[in-house]
């Protein structure tokens, strides 16, 4: 049987760490090991790009540590509003569902249409689709990729509200 360790409480985090909400930087207030000095910046880049920290033998996402330090509880899931995974300024962090978090992603690297939610059909027209969390919804086919992108943006705002990362907000329209 694998025992799951509980995450440290807010009080313990505040005892060892300082957080600057304007810069998003966490520093050590007290040394937790001989590899850490007081004043050192806490956290290292993890594989998916987020910053992580070792604390009490656990590897923790730094943005979740920050949330607990500020609000006193561990969130289920956090989203970086600007999509920059290392920007841990408090005004850039928000709680999200997995669907909302997935929506707030940049254009896919394999996208050849140059617009989010748009792909080119073999007949030369452009299809616009959006994932609503349970299924892909086809929004229509259009003569130009720009028209398809505009349809995607309208649907994204309708479905995801403040979590919508549109072609316009990405500077593509």
């Amino acid at each position: 049987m694998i025992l799951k360790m509980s995450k440290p409480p807010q009080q313990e985090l505040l005892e060892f760490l300082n957080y600057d909400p304007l810069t998003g930087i966490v520093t050590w207030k007290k040394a937790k090991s001989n590899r850490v000095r007081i004043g050192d910046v806490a956290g290292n880049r993890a594989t998916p790009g987020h910053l992580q920290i070792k604390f009490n033998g656990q590897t923790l996402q730094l943005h979740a540590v920050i949330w607990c330090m500020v609000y006193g509880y561990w969130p289920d899931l956090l989203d970086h509003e600007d999509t920059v995974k290392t920007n841990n300024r408090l005004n850039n962090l928000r709680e999200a569902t997995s669907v909302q978090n997935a929506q707030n992603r940049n254009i896919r690297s394999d996208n050849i249409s140059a617009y989010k939610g748009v792909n080119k059909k073999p007949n030369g027209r452009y299809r616009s689709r959006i994932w609503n969390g349970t299924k892909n919804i086809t929004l229509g086919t259009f003569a130009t990729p720009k028209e398809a992108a505009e349809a995607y943006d309208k649907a994204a705002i309708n479905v995801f509200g403040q979590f919508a990362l549109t072609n316009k907000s990405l500077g593509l329209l």
Side-chain angles (χ1 to χ4, degrees):
M1 181 169 117
I2 298 174
L3 217 59
K4 187 175 179 182
M5 295 177 64
S6 62
K7 293 179 180 170
Q10 179 188 38
Q11 183 179 354
E12 186 176 5
L13 294 172
L14 293 172
E15 180 183 340
F16 286 91
L17 300 167
N18 281 316
Y19 171 62
D20 182 345
L22 298 177
T23 64
I25 294 174
V26 175
T27 55
W28 289 99
K29 188 189 299 186
K30 285 169 99 175
K32 210 62 175 135
S33 74
N34 60 1
R35 292 181 293 185
V36 172
R37 287 189 285 252
I38 295 169
D40 281 355
V41 173
N44 297 306
R45 189 178 298 257
T47 304
H50 291 102
L51 297 174
Q52 62 186 21
I53 185 174
K54 282 277 200 182
F55 197 92
N56 291 349
Q58 297 180 71
T59 300
L60 304 168
Q61 300 263 332
L62 191 59
H63 56 286
V65 169
I66 290 165
W67 193 269
C68 184
M69 288 174 68
V70 173
Y71 296 111
Y73 68 94
W74 289 91
D76 290 330
L77 184 65
L78 289 177
D79 177 62
H80 289 80
E81 187 171 352
D82 68 0
T83 74
V84 178
K85 296 174 182 178
T86 57
N87 179 1
N88 289 323
R89 290 177 177 89
L90 195 55
N91 65 0
N92 189 48
L93 301 176
R94 59 187 175 180
E95 288 187 280
T97 66
S98 59
V99 172
Q100 290 168 327
N101 192 42
Q103 169 55 27
N104 190 26
R105 287 193 184 137
N106 285 314
I107 190 169
R108 289 174 46 125
S109 62
D110 63 350
N111 183 314
I112 59 171
S113 76
Y115 293 103
K116 188 174 181 181
V118 176
N119 65 326
K120 191 172 184 178
K121 304 281 288 164
N123 65 4
R125 292 183 54 86
Y126 295 87
R127 178 176 56 191
S128 181
R129 295 190 316 176
I130 191 166
W131 173 257
N132 73 355
T134 57
K135 63 183 176 180
N136 258 322
I137 300 169
T138 299
L139 304 169
T141 56
F142 303 87
T144 68
K146 184 177 179 188
E147 290 172 320
E150 288 168 345
Y152 174 86
D153 283 6
K154 185 176 178 182
I157 290 166
N158 185 46
V159 173
F160 297 107
Q162 69 175 346
F163 288 89
L165 188 61
T166 63
N167 290 290
K168 185 175 181 179
S169 66
L170 288 168
L172 302 174
L173 282 177

